[in-house]
């Protein structure tokens, strides 16, 4: 990913987005607090250069690594993160789920109504890095991962809210379905400037 970012910056490669799934792993961003790694022996821990704290990646989760040139998009990192959130919110909307932003919390959240009690749960995480105005790392959307792996960390350092997925919300959606919608809505949020 880093070599692709360098090639984009030097004009030797086009922008790209990688859609992938990881094997079960915890990743630590540049702000990760070691005390948020509740079960350090549960899964491998990978140190990354992205922003953010600890998160889980694994099968059933769509990860999108975004290598985009922000010099073509206004050199505004905050706007880029908002565009990522909007992209995820539009994607969730296609599956009948209302995703939302929360002040002071990066990512996308849903209201999860269980037994008449509404809880906020995170359905998508964002962790990016920008080098010389080219982005890398990106976002992860929980489609149907094993949510129990989140028990081994304090996800994104947030203790009082849960984590959810499309499957947990009752949506029988395949990874191919998600990819189709991500591709269809991408240009809306990241126009080729």
């Amino acid at each position: 990913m880093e070599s692709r970012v360098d090639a984009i910056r030097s004009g030797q490669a086009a922008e790209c987005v990688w859609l992938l799934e990881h094997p079960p792993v915890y990743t630590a961003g540049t702000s990760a607090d070691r005390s948020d790694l509740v079960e350090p022996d549960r899964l491998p821990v990978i140190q990354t250069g992205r922003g953010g704290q600890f998160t889980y990646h694994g099968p059933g989760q769509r990860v999108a690594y975004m290598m985009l040139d922000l010099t073509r998009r206004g050199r505004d990192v905050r706007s880029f993160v908002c565009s990522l959130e909007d992209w995820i919110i539009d994607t969730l909307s296609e599956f009948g789920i209302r995703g939302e932003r929360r002040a002071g919390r990066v990512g996308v959240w849903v209201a999860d109504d269980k037994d008449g009690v509404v809880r906020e749960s995170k359905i998508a995480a964002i962790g990016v890095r920008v080098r010389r105005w080219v982005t890398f790392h990106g976002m992860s959307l929980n489609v149907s991962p094993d949510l129990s792996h989140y028990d081994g960390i304090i996800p994104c350092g947030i203790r009082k809210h849960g984590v959810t997925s499309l499957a947990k919300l009752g949506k029988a959606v395949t990874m191919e379905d998600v990819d189709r919608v991500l591709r269809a809505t991408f240009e809306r949020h990241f126009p080729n400037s």
Side-chain angles (χ1 to χ4, degrees):
M1 187 170 17
E2 290 190 27
S3 61
R4 181 63 179 244
V5 166
D6 292 339
I8 292 167
R9 180 66 186 123
S10 67
Q12 298 174 357
E15 297 176 308
C16 68
V17 176
W18 293 340
L19 299 177
L20 57 110
E21 286 177 88
H22 282 291
V25 66
Y26 294 131
T27 64
T30 56
S31 301
D33 180 340
R34 206 67 186 164
S35 67
D36 288 345
L37 185 57
V38 179
E39 296 178 31
D41 298 325
R42 183 176 184 143
L43 296 173
V45 177
I46 307 296
Q47 298 294 320
T48 70
R50 67 162 168 77
Q53 299 180 35
F54 281 104
T55 195
Y56 164 73
H57 291 308
Q61 183 186 69
R62 175 50 75 221
V63 174
Y65 287 141
M66 316 278 296
M67 289 151 281
L68 302 178
D69 186 350
L70 293 186
T71 59
R72 300 170 56 186
R73 294 176 172 81
R75 291 188 174 193
D76 186 335
V77 177
R78 184 169 293 174
S79 176
F80 171 67
V81 171
C82 285
S83 293
L84 279 171
E85 290 170 332
D86 288 341
W87 184 37
I88 296 163
I89 289 167
D90 273 1
T91 298
L92 292 171
S93 177
E94 291 291 318
F95 299 111
I97 294 174
R98 181 180 171 163
E100 301 174 330
R101 287 189 183 90
R102 291 293 181 259
R105 293 187 251 149
V106 175
V108 177
W109 299 80
V110 297
D112 194 0
D113 186 352
K114 290 283 187 181
D115 304 321
V117 178
V118 177
R119 294 177 188 86
E120 290 183 2
S121 297
K122 193 169 198 175
I123 195 164
I126 294 173
V128 298
R129 183 161 181 116
V130 179
R131 180 185 298 147
R132 296 174 63 201
W133 296 111
V134 177
T135 68
F136 56 117
H137 294 283
M139 70 86 169
S140 59
L141 173 62
N142 291 334
V143 179
S144 59
D146 179 349
L147 294 176
S148 72
H149 287 308
Y150 283 99
D151 296 341
I153 57 172
I154 305 298
C156 302
I158 299 170
R159 289 174 163 72
K160 64 183 209 175
H161 298 289
V163 178
T164 194
S165 67
L166 289 161
K168 186 175 179 185
L169 295 172
K171 303 297 177 177
V173 175
T174 68
M175 205 61 76
E176 292 76 19
D177 295 333
V178 171
D179 289 350
R180 180 183 40 76
V181 174
L182 287 170
R183 287 182 178 107
T185 58
F186 180 82
E187 194 68 29
R188 194 178 313 158
H189 302 287
F190 304 99
N192 195 1
S193 304

